[in-house]
Amino acid sequence: TIAEDANSPAAPVVLAAGSTVVFSYAMRNTGSDPLDGVTLVDDAGTVGDPSDDFAPAAVTVTAGGKVYNTGDNNKNGLLDRNETWLYSASGIVGAGVYTNYATASAVNARSGVVVLDDDPANVFGAVAKIDVEKAVNAADPAQRTAAATGRCA
């Protein structure tokens, strides 16, 4: 949904660092011809470094003893016009700003032309911290004296 889309680095989705994030991917055929050889790769937040890229898991259904993406409405193994295929992956949120890209590719089943698209996700891993300082009779609690803390020599 629009609320979950994290395209803007200026407005990342804020999650607690160390928590689990679930990435959901929806791949749609917006053209008129069916697409074959559908692939989806996530760069794991390291653009240009394919060593940690991964393929998100397809959300599947079994029909007639064969496994299909749940969005493959006619169960023909092709991403047809107006179909939406679903994928999912999870990971642990790191501290700070994180941007990763999903790249989809497929081959037009009629023309053989390769089609590509990509989409970013921007996350900010928030680190919760707290500090409390207690003072007694302190004129300036930020600049406490030994007398204000009760720790007298």
Side-chain angles (χ1 to χ4, degrees):
T1 67
I2 297 298
E4 297 166 325
D5 201 359
N7 285 348
S8 174
V13 173
V14 178
L15 300 170
S19 67
T20 299
V21 59
V22 176
F23 294 106
S24 299
Y25 310 78
M27 189 182 314
R28 293 175 187 86
N29 180 347
T30 57
S32 57
D33 292 335
L35 301 175
D36 196 10
V38 173
T39 63
L40 180 64
V41 175
D42 191 304
D43 76 356
T46 56
V47 176
D49 178 5
S51 68
D52 61 355
D53 292 1
F54 64 93
V59 178
T60 61
V61 62
T62 302
K66 294 184 179 180
V67 178
Y68 299 96
N69 191 292
T70 191
D72 190 357
N73 296 328
N74 59 0
K75 310 295 183 267
N76 67 351
L78 299 173
L79 180 56
D80 295 307
R81 183 175 186 210
N82 296 322
E83 284 185 343
T84 300
W85 288 15
L86 304 176
Y87 298 81
S88 183
S90 63
I92 302 300
V93 177
V97 177
Y98 174 84
T99 300
N100 68 331
Y101 285 87
T103 301
S105 65
V107 177
N108 183 306
R110 290 195 181 142
S111 69
V113 173
V114 174
V115 293
L116 299 166
D117 192 29
D118 62 33
D119 194 59
N122 294 279
V123 175
F124 181 83
V127 178
K129 295 182 178 182
I130 191 168
D131 179 53
V132 63
E133 297 292 332
K134 180 180 175 183
V136 177
N137 296 331
D140 180 358
Q143 303 293 322
R144 298 172 305 130
T145 64
T149 62
R151 292 187 216 128
C152 300

